[in-house]
Amino acid sequence: MIENVNALYAAFKAKDARFDGRFFVGISSTGIYCRPVCRAKQPKAENCTFYRTAAEAEQAGYRPCLLCRPELAPGASVTDATADLICRAARMLEENCGNGLSLEEIAGRLGCSSRHLRRVFTAEYNVSPVQYLQTCRLLLAKNLLTDTDLPILEVAMAAGFQSLRRFNDLFRKRYRLSPTALRKHAAEGKKRNDNMILALGYRPPYRWEEMLAFLAERAIAGIETVKNGEYARTVHLAGADGKRVRGWVKIGHKPEKNALSVAISESLLPVLPQVLARVRHLFDLHCSPDAVYDILQGMNDIRPGLCRPGIRVPGCFDAFETAVRAVLGQQITVKAAGTLAARIVERYGTPVQAGFKGLTHIFPLPEDLLALGGDIAKHFGALGVTSARANTIYMLAHAFAQGKIDFGLCADPKKEMRKLMMIRGIGGWTAQYIAMRTMGWPDAFLETDSGVKKALPGRTAKELRVMAQAWRPWRSYATMNLWNTLQEERDVL
């Protein structure tokens, strides 16, 4: 429970979207809990209790509002938590709620004991990791019941419940209605859709066009497309049983709802939590744009318009794909790197039938490239990739396959970057770029980057590095703002 009642009630009354996902409001007169942006009739202050997480509100006995739908709220950014460990643990629980990953395994990935994780997590959120995990599963199930026509058994399995009975019992206990009753209520007056389309919320503003432009310029032919204001790509992920599943996702923008629409092939249902977590990471939905702009607005003193509120840092959907793309992009144009990546996909990727024009392949797995052995330079050379880049990619594939480098959101970026730079052919620029995109590191700054230098001309790399100290801990966002100014200049020309 949060104590700063007056300020939080003021934010709740104002329906301030900046606070969406940062707290939830339990309303004693109705027994429900809401997002700060809920448009229902404003309750009296004395009937409101404020909670850090949805899980804490549910443990206090409140059920989720059917109007504002707490399951759509954006998550916390890494710096929102008093400790990165806790925030990253929460993200891991969300991503793995459907695959049965144990608390001991999650703690191991975070580099601590399960006892320590349980203690600090409970101290921060006032719920145990297990209770938080239960809420993640229930809210995902609620989302599926509301927005899809999936059979209730499939909803339960996708949300991580091992039995339909366990799902029904916990759902009734927490929400005081059955899954069937919730679906009936949600279906009233709503046109059903044959596709599986879910919504993921964000804190506005969100500069969608800039995000799409970045992804479109770097899209790998056969893997990704950007058309009609939407991003689509092929997907391959391993389920809880280790079996790989394939499919596609298509993401669009719903600015009137401060959300992205996520259409997903039903083949990806066994890995749905992973898919949604990767979409959140790719589109930086955990970002708190007001916190970023508070630090970076001083960039506009250098030149008006250098920093725009709502800029996001593109993450990645497939870490290996992004890392290979980064190596290919060393010292050549973005377009040339995309051409090389497309050739690799066409030759060594796995063909798929996605049902979308332009989506034809799955990006090669690390094991696929390792199978080329010492002849990788010869094979890649025929595609136009230099032997040095080919050998770097081979060593990168080896690092992925052996798990020697952690490319996930739970990684310590500085530690993992040092490992990356031990690979011949990977220097500071490439390591920081990979950390920014794959590990969600918000504080990367590429002072040697040609685009950064063009955006801030007349300064040495050392001078740029000193200047960027004022932009910590959001230097990745500063980098994106600088790159975007170059795109805007090209658009004007």
Side-chain angles (χ1 to χ4, degrees):
M1 187 171 65
I2 308 176
E3 301 295 337
N4 192 8
V5 173
N6 292 335
L8 295 179
Y9 185 76
F12 181 33
K13 188 175 182 179
K15 311 303 176 190
D16 194 333
R18 295 177 300 170
F19 293 91
D20 194 13
R22 291 185 177 179
F23 67 85
F24 296 86
V25 188
I27 303 168
S28 59
S29 56
T30 61
I32 67 171
Y33 72 94
C34 297
R35 297 159 63 185
V37 295
C38 187
R39 294 294 174 179
K41 182 180 178 180
Q42 185 72 19
K44 296 179 180 179
E46 56 265 30
N47 293 332
C48 296
T49 306
F50 300 92
Y51 300 96
R52 284 285 305 275
T53 66
E56 186 182 3
E58 291 193 7
Q59 287 301 312
Y62 294 98
R63 62 188 186 277
C65 175
L66 299 181
L67 177 62
C68 68
R69 299 181 61 190
E71 70 271 17
L72 302 184
S77 63
V78 172
T79 55
D80 282 344
T82 57
D84 282 357
L85 170 67
I86 303 165
C87 189
R88 294 183 187 279
R91 289 198 193 178
M92 280 201 71
L93 290 168
E94 293 167 9
E95 180 175 353
N96 294 285
C97 69
N99 65 8
L101 199 66
S102 69
L103 184 62
E104 286 71 22
E105 290 172 306
I106 290 175
R109 292 189 185 182
L110 292 167
C112 66
S113 68
S114 59
R115 180 179 179 182
H116 176 69
L117 178 59
R118 191 179 296 109
R119 179 177 60 80
V120 297
F121 195 97
T122 304
E124 179 69 22
Y125 288 152
N126 294 315
V127 293
S128 70
V130 171
Q131 291 169 331
Y132 189 91
L133 180 62
Q134 285 182 337
T135 298
C136 290
R137 289 172 173 164
L138 286 170
L139 290 179
L140 175 58
K142 181 177 177 295
N143 201 354
L144 291 170
L145 288 168
T146 303
D147 287 342
T148 77
D149 288 321
L150 288 171
I152 291 179
L153 176 60
E154 291 187 19
V155 169
M157 296 299 106
F161 292 93
Q162 300 303 308
S163 73
L164 183 59
R165 179 178 179 181
R166 171 61 178 157
F167 169 58
N168 284 326
D169 288 348
L170 187 61
F171 201 93
R172 287 193 183 96
K173 180 181 177 180
R174 288 280 187 89
Y175 299 161
R176 293 191 278 284
L177 78 168
S178 68
T180 302
L182 173 67
R183 170 161 280 173
K184 182 178 180 181
H185 179 277
E188 293 176 359
K190 180 182 286 189
K191 183 179 179 180
R192 307 307 296 181
N193 196 306
D194 293 334
N195 297 320
M196 186 162 66
I197 304 177
L198 302 176
L200 295 177
Y202 61 77
R203 299 179 188 88
Y206 192 112
R207 301 189 72 87
W208 175 250
E209 295 303 324
E210 284 88 338
M211 172 64 80
L212 273 194
F214 182 92
L215 296 176
E217 192 173 17
R218 292 159 180 80
I220 302 175
I223 303 291
E224 307 165 282
T225 64
V226 176
K227 295 179 181 178
N228 303 319
E230 295 179 318
Y231 170 87
R233 66 164 294 125
T234 56
V235 175
H236 63 114
L237 292 169
D241 57 1
K243 183 180 178 181
R244 288 198 165 269
V245 295
R246 300 170 182 170
W248 54 265
V249 294
K250 184 173 68 173
I251 296 93
H253 190 209
K254 301 295 181 184
E256 71 282 1
K257 296 182 178 180
N258 293 333
L260 302 186
S261 63
V262 185
I264 307 169
S265 64
E266 290 198 16
S267 61
L268 296 176
L269 194 58
V271 291
L272 182 60
Q274 290 186 63
V275 172
L276 296 179
R278 291 181 185 225
V279 171
R280 289 188 183 99
H281 175 42
L282 175 59
F283 289 94
D284 197 14
L285 299 188
H286 291 94
C287 174
S288 296
D290 58 316
V292 174
Y293 189 69
D294 283 347
I295 298 296
L296 299 187
Q297 60 184 321
M299 295 175 68
N300 293 328
D301 295 334
I302 302 171
R303 188 170 77 242
L306 206 55
C307 177
R308 302 280 183 88
I311 291 293
R312 296 308 207 268
V313 174
C316 76
F317 198 94
D318 183 309
F320 181 61
E321 172 189 309
T322 301
V324 170
R325 181 69 173 69
V327 172
L328 292 173
Q330 293 172 341
Q331 299 178 343
I332 61 174
T333 65
V334 171
K335 183 178 180 179
T339 298
L340 294 177
R343 291 173 183 171
I344 292 173
V345 166
E346 186 177 9
R347 181 70 61 88
Y348 301 107
T350 303
V352 293
Q353 297 293 328
F356 281 95
K357 185 177 180 180
L359 300 184
T360 59
H361 286 76
I362 296 295
F363 195 83
L365 297 173
E367 293 77 8
D368 297 329
L369 300 187
L370 289 175
L372 299 177
D375 292 332
I376 189 170
K378 178 181 178 181
H379 291 288
F380 275 26
L383 305 178
V385 181
T386 67
S387 59
R389 301 281 183 275
N391 290 326
T392 298
I393 290 171
Y394 182 81
M395 290 185 283
L396 193 60
H398 189 267
F400 266 89
Q402 298 295 320
K404 293 180 178 180
I405 301 176
D406 185 354
F407 292 89
L409 294 176
C410 294
D412 177 343
K414 293 183 179 179
K415 178 181 177 182
E416 302 309 318
M417 282 194 298
R418 286 194 294 269
K419 295 180 185 177
L420 276 168
M421 287 190 288
M422 293 177 67
I423 297 176
R424 187 173 182 178
I426 293 183
W429 184 96
T430 306
Q432 289 207 63
Y433 181 82
I434 290 174
M436 180 176 77
R437 297 287 309 276
T438 69
M439 304 173 200
W441 190 35
D443 201 33
F445 187 68
L446 311 176
E447 68 271 11
T448 62
D449 180 77
S450 60
V452 170
K453 290 180 177 180
K454 287 179 182 178
L456 295 171
R459 298 172 176 86
T460 66
K462 182 178 180 180
E463 289 171 336
L464 290 172
R465 189 165 57 250
V466 171
M467 175 187 291
Q469 292 300 309
W471 305 332
R472 285 181 177 272
W474 306 116
R475 292 184 301 172
S476 294
Y477 293 87
T479 301
M480 290 305 307
N481 271 285
L482 296 173
W483 284 347
N484 284 334
T485 62
L486 300 179
Q487 181 64 47
E488 291 169 5
E489 291 173 3
R490 288 196 294 268
D491 291 343
V492 170
L493 295 174

